[in-house]
Amino acid sequence: MSETQGSRRVPRHHHANDGRADREASTSGAEGFAALGLSDQTLAAVKDMGHTVPTPVQAQSIPLTLAGRDVLAAAQTGTGKTAAFLLPTLDRLSHAGRGEGPLMLVVTPTRELAQQIDGVAQVICKHTHHKVTTVVGGVSYEPQKSALRHGCDVLVATPGRLEDLIAQGAANLSHVEVLVLDEADRMLDMGFLPAVKRIAAKTPQSRQTLLFSATLDEDAQECTAGLVKNPACVEIARRGSIADTIDQFILPVSAKAKNNLLIQLLKREGSQRVIVFCRGKHRADGICRRLRKAGITCAPIHGNRSQKQRENALRNFRSGDVDVLVATDVLARGIDIPEVSYVVNFDVPGEAEDYIHRIGRTGRAGESGWALTFVTEDDYLDLRDAEQLMKSIVPLYQKTDGLDQGADLPKIDPHRDPL
């Protein structure tokens, strides 16, 4: 999996560990990850991952994690949060005996995020020699139970499936040394807080807890206060901020013209590596049917799709066998798909923060990207909510020649106040 690279230079962090080399500040490694206090074996994993310079969230949180601190970290999507918690935790994690563990538990809200974390962890574990097991819903229990019986160092899990396995006596969390709550704000939004608290209660009080999130507002900090002890806070971006690599535009459209307009846009701007977001599972399926009739290869991804179907859709999109992903907000958070050309919001999302996460699928890893949002009369208030969150207006798309936007378009004041 690709992790985003940044350019922040950070001071050396001294971490006691036999065999850890004292690296000279004049080398490029010391200017990057080596300066953070990671061991040589973990730095070899960094090299395999293609990283050279840590992103700001990595630069700030890795030394704190290595020092054993609880950490609350908030950063925009696409800034390398997965590596920010996996590199230092695996660097200092013990190894479980056969049939024991997990020693590290990562809880994340969706199957796709769990599989993404698993992919990054597997690369690092080739060097640290830890064993990773991932348990998610939508698949058979027995292989997961068997893997847990054999033992693991790291368990990556979605809350619902993990609670089921605990209830069946298949998962024992009494030896967890590190608990990671990934996409914590999303878990709160999805109603997982009670489950997360029950899961955390099964782990030792002495554990280290890392909470990573795209946003970390006062409500989220209050809700999770009992899960962390004297945490260090790392906040890279304010709530509602977006990466400066993303250009945003809105396009007024009548509801009846939306379907044809999407096809016109994709044929004019190119359909390769495009994500189309919409509201509703049946709507996503309908958009795919129309795109296929227009000769555009696509795949839907939403909550009604099986785990295998969702995995196939993502794999085919990454490989280029499918040009367009049509997704509900199940894909809006955390999924790292490199080199997405642009994002189309077929519908404005009902939640303002989902707008931030949707457009954050492009413009990742320092690459440029852009996002276009269709706005009907019914979408206007939701657009205004997103603009108020970002504290800025989204400009009108100017390249409208040849695009049929329909009749009775919403009137959008280009000088409107975002607040």
Side-chain angles (χ1 to χ4, degrees), residues 22-341:
D22 185 18
R23 303 169 182 91
E24 295 296 328
S26 60
T27 67
S28 61
E31 293 177 349
F33 285 89
L36 304 181
L38 295 168
S39 66
D40 290 336
Q41 65 180 4
T42 307
L43 290 172
V46 171
K47 185 176 180 181
D48 279 358
M49 296 162 73
H51 298 353
T52 54
V53 180
T55 65
V57 69
Q58 292 165 352
Q60 293 188 37
S61 61
I62 287 175
L64 293 166
T65 303
L66 287 172
R69 293 287 303 276
D70 283 11
V71 176
L72 298 178
Q76 298 162 336
T77 57
T79 53
K81 293 193 290 292
T82 303
F85 64 74
L86 283 176
L87 287 169
T89 50
L90 289 170
D91 186 273
R92 65 197 298 268
L93 191 70
S94 308
H95 286 81
R98 182 171 177 80
E100 298 177 353
L103 304 180
M104 176 179 173
L105 172 63
V106 183
V107 182
T108 194
T110 68
R111 294 174 286 187
E112 287 77 17
L113 283 167
Q115 288 161 345
Q116 177 176 304
I117 294 166
D118 181 279
V120 178
Q122 296 290 357
V123 174
I124 301 169
C125 289
K126 288 179 182 177
H127 296 272
T128 63
H129 309 296
H130 291 99
K131 183 178 180 181
V132 183
T133 294
T134 296
V135 297
V136 298
V139 294
S140 172
Y141 282 91
E142 290 309 315
Q144 297 177 357
K145 289 181 178 180
S146 175
L148 290 169
R149 281 195 298 271
H150 284 85
C152 64
D153 301 304
V154 181
L155 177 61
V156 183
T158 51
R161 177 52 60 97
L162 180 55
E163 281 213 295
D164 287 347
L165 290 167
I166 292 171
Q168 295 172 34
N172 176 11
L173 306 183
S174 63
H175 296 99
V176 169
E177 299 172 5
V178 182
L179 171 64
V180 179
L181 304 178
D182 182 45
E183 294 291 335
D185 56 341
R186 181 63 167 169
M187 286 198 281
L188 295 180
D189 292 344
M190 295 172 70
F192 285 137
L193 180 61
V196 167
K197 287 185 173 180
R198 289 191 296 267
I199 290 166
K202 301 286 186 182
T203 66
Q205 286 292 315
S206 59
R207 71 179 187 269
Q208 180 184 25
T209 304
L210 310 176
L211 190 152
F212 279 73
S213 179
T215 59
L216 202 60
D217 58 23
E218 290 182 8
D219 288 342
Q221 292 188 53
E222 184 177 333
C223 289
T224 57
L227 300 173
V228 291
K229 302 183 294 293
N230 187 29
C233 291
V234 174
E235 190 160 13
I236 303 302
R238 66 167 177 82
R239 182 173 177 261
S241 62
I242 62 166
D244 57 12
T245 54
I246 305 169
D247 292 324
Q248 308 171 68
F249 305 97
I250 56 173
L251 183 58
V253 58
S254 70
K256 291 182 179 179
K258 268 185 168 184
N259 289 310
N260 286 334
L261 180 62
L262 176 62
I263 293 169
Q264 293 167 18
L265 179 78
L266 291 170
K267 289 190 172 181
R268 193 182 77 178
E269 297 294 340
S271 60
Q272 291 185 327
R273 304 195 71 78
V274 178
I275 300 179
V276 176
F277 283 106
C278 66
R279 290 197 201 187
K281 305 162 187 175
H282 298 297
R283 198 169 182 82
D285 291 334
I287 290 171
C288 279
R289 286 194 295 270
R290 286 184 284 272
L291 292 182
R292 290 187 189 114
K293 286 182 180 178
I296 297 170
T297 61
C298 59
I301 184 164
H302 53 67
N304 277 359
R305 305 292 285 177
S306 71
Q307 180 68 11
K308 185 174 182 180
Q309 287 172 321
R310 289 160 74 163
E311 289 174 5
N312 287 342
L314 286 169
R315 183 175 60 253
N316 290 337
F317 184 74
R318 288 187 175 106
S319 68
D321 292 333
V322 162
D323 284 341
V324 179
L325 272 184
V326 182
T328 58
D329 285 309
V330 70
L331 194 65
R333 298 213 184 199
I335 299 300
D336 187 9
I337 302 173
E339 299 174 352
V340 171
S341 300

